[in-house]
Amino acid sequence: MSGTKTALKAAKAALDEQDYGVAITQATKVLVTDPQNYHANVFLGLALGKQGKYDKAAEAYSEATHVKPNEALAWQGLIDLYDKQGGNQVDGYRVAAVELARVYMEADDRIRCQAIVDKFVIFAKEHGTRTQYKQALELLLPTSTLYDYLEGRIPNPAHTYSKIAAIIEADEKERVNKEIGERRTRLGAKIGQVKAEVNRDVLAGSALEQTYQSIIDWSTEDDVRRTYEEKLLQRAYDVLLVLPAQEKAQKRKQVWQLARGIVILKHPFELAWEIVVEWHDGEELAEWDAGILREFIEFFPQNGLAKVIQGYITNDINSTAGGVNQGSAETKLSNEDNNHNTLSAEDRLLLMTDGVDESTQSSLAHRLLSEYYLSLEEYEGAVETARKAYRLAIIQAQACGLKTEKNIDAINITLATSLIHYHSPRNHSEAKSLFDGILERKPFLTPALIGIGLILEDQEDFAGAIDFLTRAITRDPSRIAVRVEAAWCNALNGDFSLGLGELETCLLEIDGTDPRTLEMRAQTLYRIGICIWELDSSKRARKDRKGAYSRFLSAIQANMNYAPAYTSLGIYYSDYAKDRARARKCFQKAFELSPSEVESAQRLAQAFADQRDWDLVEIVAQRVVDSGKVRPSPGSRRKAFSWPYAALGVVQLNRQDYAKSIVSFQSALRISPAHYHSWVGLGESYHNSGRYIAATKAFQQSQTLESNLDERVVGDTWFAKYMLANVKRELGDHGEAIMDFQEVLRRRPNEFGVSIALLQTLNEASWRSIELGFFGRAVGYAREAITLANTIARHRVDAFNLWKGVGDACSIFSWVRARIEEFPVEQVRVLLKTNLDTQEYDLFADIDGVGQETVKPLSIGETEESVKISQCLDAAMLAQKRAIYASANDVHTQAVAWYNLGWTEHRAHVCYASQSDQGTRKRSSRFLKAALRCFKRAIELEAGNAEFWNALGIVTSQLNPKVAQHCFVRSLHLNDKSAGVWTNLGTLYLVHHDYQVANDAFTRAQSTDPDYAQAWLGQGLLALLVGDNKEAQYLFTHAFEIADSSSLLVKRQYGLSVIDHVLSSPSTPTGTFSLIQPLFALQQLQSQMPNDLPYTHLSALLLERIGNHCAATEALATVCAKVEAEYEVSESPVSLGRFAKAKADLARVHLAAQDYSVAAENAEMALHLSSDEENSSLDASARQKCRLSAHLTAGLAYYYTKEIDQAIEMFRSALEESDDAADIVCLLVQVLWAKGGEEEKVVAREQLLDCVEKQPGHIGVTLLLGVVALLDNDIDTLEALKSDLQAHRTSDNVDNEHQRRIDELLVAIATLVHSGETCESEEMAQSTTSVMLAPAQPQGWSRLAAVTADQYPPEMALKMALRSVPPGGSLQAKDLAKAFAGTARVADAQGAIVIAPWAKDGWEKLARAIV
């Protein structure tokens, strides 16, 4: 023990001497033996602290406090230690300070206790955080253990609480900002939602409200208490807004109590007053505390809601009609402020609107303003404001958890009542649903009963309206307006007597001292007048000026702006007084006052339409549509009106605004589906907008309604038929259109427009027939057009379309020259002389030679084709010249007339240029010059027409290529989507050998319109020029497939390309089917150009190839006759050469037709005509081919007429002509062998052997040599030939016919060489090999079927035969019949007979099957 004391003294001495190391050593020595030594721990802590070892020092002091917690020395040491460390140990400082203060409190040392607390608070403020400072301040609060001991020596708790509140406010603000900044960056985060969530998290767990309440409780100053009451209410309100719905009830109650308390104390805190006023749930303003409302206005005169309330309560207009009665609150406030109420109606409205603008979130402000609007009958403003009030009420209820059923019902009553009158009856369904919803909960609410009654009245459900209005009157009999409506409903329900009595009773109670009652009085007088009008409908009663008329006048006198009375007066003046001027003024006045006066509007619209004042018609009809009276609401019994939409449609149709007119007529038809004129108008609109299918349906629907029309309308039904014909014409159904036009003309024969439309349709049908290849039909339509034109000319000759139609009809005949004889020359001559003005025909007569003198030579006696062509073209030009004079008053039409004349002149140029006569060709150049002048004149009149420039480019292509290029480029500048212009430009480049640019132009034309045939034709010509004949043929074929029948050049090039292909590929089999299309093209060409002999000759060659020898003979005979006639006139070597070729071809056709003697005669003639090599116009190759054909034809003809010697002579000559051609050798051998003499047979064998040496691979020679060896039984030769035949058998160059012959020859060789079973097996092997080599050919299967009894080979032979017929192959009908007969079935045998009745196979098989 003595050692411990010594050590403690040594430690104390060392501390005094500031020898802290020794002190630490001595203190530690004591603690080793006595760890609980209080002074040793204190000395150790003090020494360590002096050395700056604060952590160890704190441990030593803490150990000392554990030993003696009620001793102050250790706690004081800790405080000194923490004080040195600044803000690092604020929390430890707080614990030490509290404990030390407790020690002083227990020691009853108030001075030191207060000093230590004050020191710590100051330290925490300087060095601690806001939270640590708040914890320090809490030592001064009543909740602290020190408060009771130090009370009176420390600040008032209110002061401390205010500091704590400031700290909490700052912390929360910082936390909110931080959380919002972090959460707003999350994916999908919305700033509004983020703020709400953060505020909910921060505010819900905050102690700020309790702090505010504590300040209020401890504060002794009223100003401070009011301030923190405001903050507490604001805080509670903010928390209420962010709380979940299920937690709002308790908070809402707290907020209400706080706000109510502030209001009771009459403290002017705006939020509290707004809460008390806004949160009140009442149906009428009378349910609010009048004192509170007055004080609210006094305290906050600039508040928006206060302004609205002030304006509302000073309103002196009774709102009974709107369903809202002023209650005691308004009355009381108005009485109290009566002396100070100087607001006019305008100032009141301005005050309330300003208030609403300032209180954009106030549901009550909007509600009151909407009710005020309703009282002023400003229904649009009432509807808009009530809708916003409803939205705000719902938002407020959701945000604050309020129950606002009465408020919402009141808003809905105002909204529904306004909707009754706003755009009536458009909004009636919405208004009725609102009233119904209210009546489900409040079945006796008078405004709702009145509202539904008014809706039912407007919907003409008068019984239902009477029921609801009567129930409303029962609850409130003082409502005069309701009684008037109920009486009117009785009248409208048919009981005019009852309604009249009730209305007169009500009239006595209406004093008419204010504007509202004056309007009601006018309405009542008008309705009394209507009752009187309807009670006695006689003309005398209605004309009585003391009856209904006087009531209508009285109504207008009571209210000069009451529109229905003007309507009734207008009807009176119009129908009974016969004063149309007054009637129109009345209708105009009624409609000006109210667009809902549909009767007045209809009569006005009809009057304006009769005057063709479409602008006024549109204004009237559009106002009626906008009024909402046209379409009744769903379920309404009120009549709908279709005439406004129909009137709008007519106006828009006249303005060519077809899209809108379609919509208008459709709207009219939705209302009145059986309205005839709307269907007609809709069809016309569809037609003019290019929607022809829809137009057809519309006109057809109108025709179904014609049987139900009255007599006044039936006379106008022809127009629908006329328009339907126009639609069919646009759709290309010209036949039906023509019949419809003719039917209309039978009913209205003098209808000029219909006649012209029929004339145009006939011309269009004629040209369409040419495009389709129906040339006879085209001529028929053209003749009908000329006949019709004669009929029209008897009544009117000054019409442009008449003479244009005549010119077009005459031009048709120049396109179908095969029927030129049908041109009605006499009719045209008479037509052209009708009302003749000689100057009309002399236009450009000095250039084209066609003028008034041309009319006289037109006669029916001419029969020559060239004369007929001249007549039709001259007539066409004269008609087009007359059209120019007929269009003198219209620049655009005159430009078109010049354009038409230009094309007619150009057509004459083309027709004359194609003739061989030199004089005729010279005349054609004059027509070209005239066309040039015409197109220039058209461009002068209308320079912006791309077609005019294109036409000028065409006619100048031969005269001046640079000008032509400029014209085409100008046309493309105006319209670069024209495939025709691009093609014309490409043709210009092609003619001048600029092939690349031409190809680009043709390609652009194809991309613009892929179906434009001339573009493909141009590229085909390009391919032909560069030597790509195969590509050219493809292009010509495609051009022909997509072209119409009017294009001569396409058919010419297509026919030539097919002939060239056939001649250039003799080894390629050409079936009949592939020649039908080019033959059709050439025959069409022959119909259009019968004098085009080269193509007639080509047509004959194709007819020969397909086996139509009769037609080929006729065509070649025609060619021969015309060429011979041409030669007799000109004696040209060219004609002689053409005559020789035609004769050679004619001889060949006669040979094929088995007319051998004629064939020989023509062949001899061809040989004679081509005998003079020096004077022949044919080149060497052509002459050789011609003579070779003639020799062969003559040889075969002589052979078949049994004149073998002559035949042999001809074949020998053919051999000389062909340089011993193998095919001719084969023919000669066959003829020599047929003669039968040994000498001839020897010569035949020699010829064959020589040919084999010269041409060893010729299949014909090999086959013929094998047949000869077979006939001679020359086994060695046959064995030698067998290998050659096998080689040919597997060759790809052997066609099916030669393949069949090889197979037959091999089978015959096997039969000759072998015998018995070996022979049969060899035949089977050869047949099987044929099938294996050509499984898709029927011959091998048929041969296999003949040598075997199996049933499958005949079936396969039939299947392969069906696949080999055209267009899949070239199998003939006889071979197909043989395949059918091979199955041995009766049905197939009958089929074989049907397919080829001349073949015996089918008959034999059928006979066997029957027997």
Side-chain angles (χ1 to χ4, degrees), residues 1136-1145 1148 1163 1165-1167 1169-1171 1176 1178-1193 1217:
L1136 183 63
R1138 291 166 59 190
F1139 187 33
K1141 291 174 67 176
K1143 278 294 184 180
D1145 292 338
R1148 189 173 62 252
M1165 175 65 73
L1167 291 172
L1169 293 172
S1170 60
S1171 59
S1176 175
L1178 300 175
D1179 58 50
S1181 175
R1183 180 175 178 277
Q1184 180 187 14
K1185 291 179 181 178
C1186 176
R1187 292 182 62 79
L1188 179 60
S1189 174
H1191 279 115
L1192 291 175
T1193 302
E1217 293 281 355

Side-chain angles (χ1 to χ4, degrees), residues 165-442:
I167 292 172
I168 296 175
E169 289 171 355
D171 284 343
E172 288 183 355
K173 182 178 180 180
E174 182 179 341
R175 182 183 171 190
V176 166
N177 293 335
K178 180 181 178 181
E179 290 293 327
I180 290 175
E182 292 177 354
R183 297 188 188 185
R184 68 184 301 176
T185 59
R186 297 175 182 174
L187 290 176
K190 297 179 180 179
I191 186 62
Q193 183 179 358
V194 167
K195 287 182 178 179
E197 292 175 355
V198 171
N199 286 329
R200 185 185 305 118
D201 294 342
V202 174
L203 301 183
S206 174
L208 190 57
E209 288 185 44
Q210 185 180 357
T211 304
Y212 288 154
Q213 187 61 53
S214 298
I215 295 172
I216 295 169
D217 293 340
W218 286 98
S219 178
T220 58
E221 299 178 10
D222 289 339
D223 292 342
V224 175
R225 295 178 65 184
R226 298 293 87 81
T227 300
Y228 281 94
E229 283 174 355
E230 292 177 4
K231 288 189 175 184
L232 177 59
L233 175 58
Q234 184 67 58
R235 178 67 173 199
Y237 182 74
D238 293 341
V239 173
L240 174 64
L241 295 180
V242 299
L243 283 176
Q246 62 273 15
E247 300 177 12
K248 288 183 181 290
Q250 184 177 357
K251 199 68 178 179
R252 183 186 67 250
K253 185 177 180 181
Q254 177 193 353
V255 172
W256 172 257
Q257 290 174 350
L258 291 171
R260 184 67 179 171
I262 291 175
V263 170
I264 291 173
L265 293 174
K266 295 183 174 54
H267 177 62
F269 180 49
E270 195 168 343
L271 176 62
W273 289 86
E274 286 182 347
I275 289 173
V276 171
V277 175
E278 285 273 4
W279 285 16
H280 186 81
D281 188 22
E283 293 180 352
E284 299 177 356
L285 195 60
E287 299 178 17
W288 270 256
D289 188 315
I292 291 177
L293 294 179
R294 184 184 65 253
E295 292 167 352
F296 179 54
I297 296 171
E298 292 176 355
F299 286 148
F300 311 104
Q302 300 304 317
N303 181 274
L305 178 58
K307 291 180 180 179
V308 175
I309 295 174
Q310 181 182 2
Y312 186 82
I313 62 179
T314 57
N315 176 21
D316 57 354
I317 298 178
N318 187 359
S319 302
T320 303
V324 180
N325 284 317
Q326 287 186 331
S328 59
E330 300 97 308
T331 304
K332 183 177 180 180
L333 286 170
S334 297
N335 292 336
E336 292 176 355
D337 297 334
N338 188 42
N339 296 330
H340 306 284
N341 181 17
T342 59
L343 288 177
S344 63
E346 293 79 5
D347 293 338
R348 183 182 302 109
L349 181 59
L350 183 60
L351 179 66
M352 295 180 72
T353 53
D354 288 344
V356 168
D357 292 340
E358 295 171 6
S359 301
T360 56
Q361 302 302 315
S362 173
S363 170
L364 179 60
H366 287 83
R367 169 188 164 181
L368 296 178
L369 180 59
S370 65
E371 292 177 0
Y372 183 63
Y373 276 139
L374 180 59
S375 69
L376 297 177
E377 297 184 357
E378 290 288 340
Y379 300 117
E380 182 177 1
V383 168
E384 294 178 359
T385 312
R387 289 190 192 279
K388 191 168 184 180
Y390 178 80
R391 290 194 296 269
L392 293 173
I394 295 299
I395 293 172
Q396 188 180 58
Q398 293 175 349
C400 302
L402 298 175
K403 294 181 179 180
T404 57
E405 179 180 313
K406 293 180 180 180
N407 274 333
I408 290 176
D409 284 347
I411 293 171
N412 285 335
I413 287 290
T414 304
L415 175 60
T417 306
S418 303
L419 288 172
I420 294 175
H421 307 282
Y422 178 58
H423 286 175
S424 175
R426 184 183 302 169
N427 300 310
H428 282 182
S429 58
E430 181 183 359
K432 192 172 184 300
S433 65
L434 292 173
F435 284 133
D436 288 339
I438 294 171
L439 288 176
E440 287 179 1
R441 292 177 279 103
K442 301 172 183 178

Side-chain angles (χ1 to χ4, degrees), residues 357-608:
D357 292 340
E358 295 171 6
S359 301
T360 56
Q361 302 302 315
S362 173
S363 170
L364 179 60
H366 287 83
R367 169 188 164 181
L368 296 178
L369 180 59
S370 65
E371 292 177 0
Y372 183 63
Y373 276 139
L374 180 59
S375 69
L376 297 177
E377 297 184 357
E378 290 288 340
Y379 300 117
E380 182 177 1
V383 168
E384 294 178 359
T385 312
R387 289 190 192 279
K388 191 168 184 180
Y390 178 80
R391 290 194 296 269
L392 293 173
I394 295 299
I395 293 172
Q396 188 180 58
Q398 293 175 349
C400 302
L402 298 175
K403 294 181 179 180
T404 57
E405 179 180 313
K406 293 180 180 180
N407 274 333
I408 290 176
D409 284 347
I411 293 171
N412 285 335
I413 287 290
T414 304
L415 175 60
T417 306
S418 303
L419 288 172
I420 294 175
H421 307 282
Y422 178 58
H423 286 175
S424 175
R426 184 183 302 169
N427 300 310
H428 282 182
S429 58
E430 181 183 359
K432 192 172 184 300
S433 65
L434 292 173
F435 284 133
D436 288 339
I438 294 171
L439 288 176
E440 287 179 1
R441 292 177 279 103
K442 301 172 183 178
F444 302 108
L445 189 63
T446 303
L449 293 172
I450 296 173
I452 291 185
L454 294 176
I455 292 172
L456 294 176
E457 176 188 351
D458 192 78
Q459 294 177 352
E460 299 185 3
D461 184 2
F462 303 118
I466 292 170
D467 176 47
F468 278 93
L469 292 175
T470 303
R471 288 160 58 186
I473 293 171
T474 302
R475 291 184 56 82
D476 189 359
S478 63
R479 293 178 180 262
I480 300 297
V482 181
R483 289 167 55 194
V484 170
E485 291 297 332
W488 180 236
C489 288
N490 282 321
L492 294 177
N493 201 33
D495 195 346
F496 290 101
S497 298
L498 177 60
L500 179 60
E502 292 177 350
L503 286 170
E504 289 178 339
T505 302
C506 293
L507 182 63
L508 297 175
E509 301 180 23
I510 302 173
D511 54 7
T513 57
D514 57 78
R516 179 68 61 99
T517 55
L518 271 176
E519 182 176 354
M520 189 182 302
R521 182 177 179 82
Q523 183 185 62
T524 306
L525 286 167
Y526 163 75
R527 291 175 175 180
I528 290 173
I530 292 296
C531 291
I532 296 173
W533 184 276
E534 295 295 336
L535 280 172
D536 189 354
S537 59
S538 65
K539 188 174 183 180
R540 179 179 179 182
R542 291 190 172 181
K543 290 181 69 175
D544 185 5
R545 290 180 174 267
K546 295 181 180 180
Y549 173 79
S550 64
R551 303 305 192 282
F552 297 148
L553 280 179
S554 299
I556 293 175
Q557 290 169 359
N559 183 3
M560 296 293 292
N561 295 325
Y562 190 65
Y566 286 102
T567 299
S568 297
L569 274 180
I571 295 172
Y572 170 82
Y573 286 127
S574 175
D575 298 346
Y576 297 96
K578 303 302 180 182
D579 189 344
R580 293 192 176 182
R582 287 187 177 181
R584 183 165 180 174
K585 290 180 181 179
C586 290
F587 291 139
Q588 286 180 336
K589 183 65 175 179
F591 189 65
E592 287 173 3
L593 292 172
S594 173
S596 299
E597 292 302 310
V598 180
E599 181 66 25
S600 294
Q602 185 174 7
R603 292 182 180 239
L604 282 175
Q606 185 63 50
F608 292 142

Side-chain angles (χ1 to χ4, degrees), residues 1020-1199:
L1021 293 172
L1022 272 175
L1024 205 60
L1025 289 172
V1026 299
D1028 192 349
N1029 296 334
K1030 186 176 182 181
E1031 178 68 16
Q1033 185 194 358
Y1034 289 151
L1035 291 169
F1036 290 144
T1037 303
H1038 180 66
F1040 175 76
E1041 289 173 349
I1042 63 176
D1044 55 56
S1045 296
S1046 64
S1047 177
L1048 302 178
L1049 185 57
V1050 170
K1051 285 180 280 196
R1052 286 171 177 166
Q1053 291 302 130
Y1054 174 59
L1056 282 175
S1057 67
V1058 173
I1059 294 295
D1060 290 342
H1061 173 69
V1062 171
L1063 296 178
S1064 63
S1065 304
S1067 60
T1068 303
T1070 305
T1072 301
F1073 182 80
S1074 61
L1075 297 178
I1076 291 176
Q1077 200 170 18
L1079 179 60
F1080 177 71
L1082 292 174
Q1083 287 182 335
Q1084 279 193 338
L1085 183 61
Q1086 189 175 358
S1087 297
Q1088 294 177 268
M1089 301 287 290
N1091 289 330
D1092 200 347
L1093 298 182
Y1095 292 95
T1096 304
H1097 197 159
L1098 286 179
S1099 175
L1101 295 178
L1102 291 179
L1103 288 170
E1104 177 190 3
R1105 276 197 172 258
I1106 67 173
N1108 191 350
H1109 303 121
C1110 182
T1113 301
E1114 293 178 2
L1116 287 170
T1118 302
V1119 172
C1120 289
K1122 291 185 177 181
V1123 173
E1124 184 178 8
E1126 181 182 335
Y1127 176 72
E1128 289 177 355
V1129 174
S1130 63
E1131 295 185 356
S1132 169
V1134 176
S1135 300
L1136 183 63
R1138 291 166 59 190
F1139 187 33
K1141 291 174 67 176
K1143 278 294 184 180
D1145 292 338
L1146 181 60
R1148 189 173 62 252
V1149 174
H1150 277 296
L1151 176 65
Q1154 300 181 3
D1155 193 355
Y1156 304 123
S1157 59
V1158 178
E1161 180 182 350
N1162 284 300
E1164 293 283 2
M1165 175 65 73
L1167 291 172
H1168 173 70
L1169 293 172
S1170 60
S1171 59
D1172 189 356
E1173 182 177 0
E1174 294 181 358
N1175 296 325
S1176 175
S1177 63
L1178 300 175
D1179 58 50
S1181 175
R1183 180 175 178 277
Q1184 180 187 14
K1185 291 179 181 178
C1186 176
R1187 292 182 62 79
L1188 179 60
S1189 174
H1191 279 115
L1192 291 175
T1193 302
L1196 289 172
Y1198 287 134
Y1199 168 76

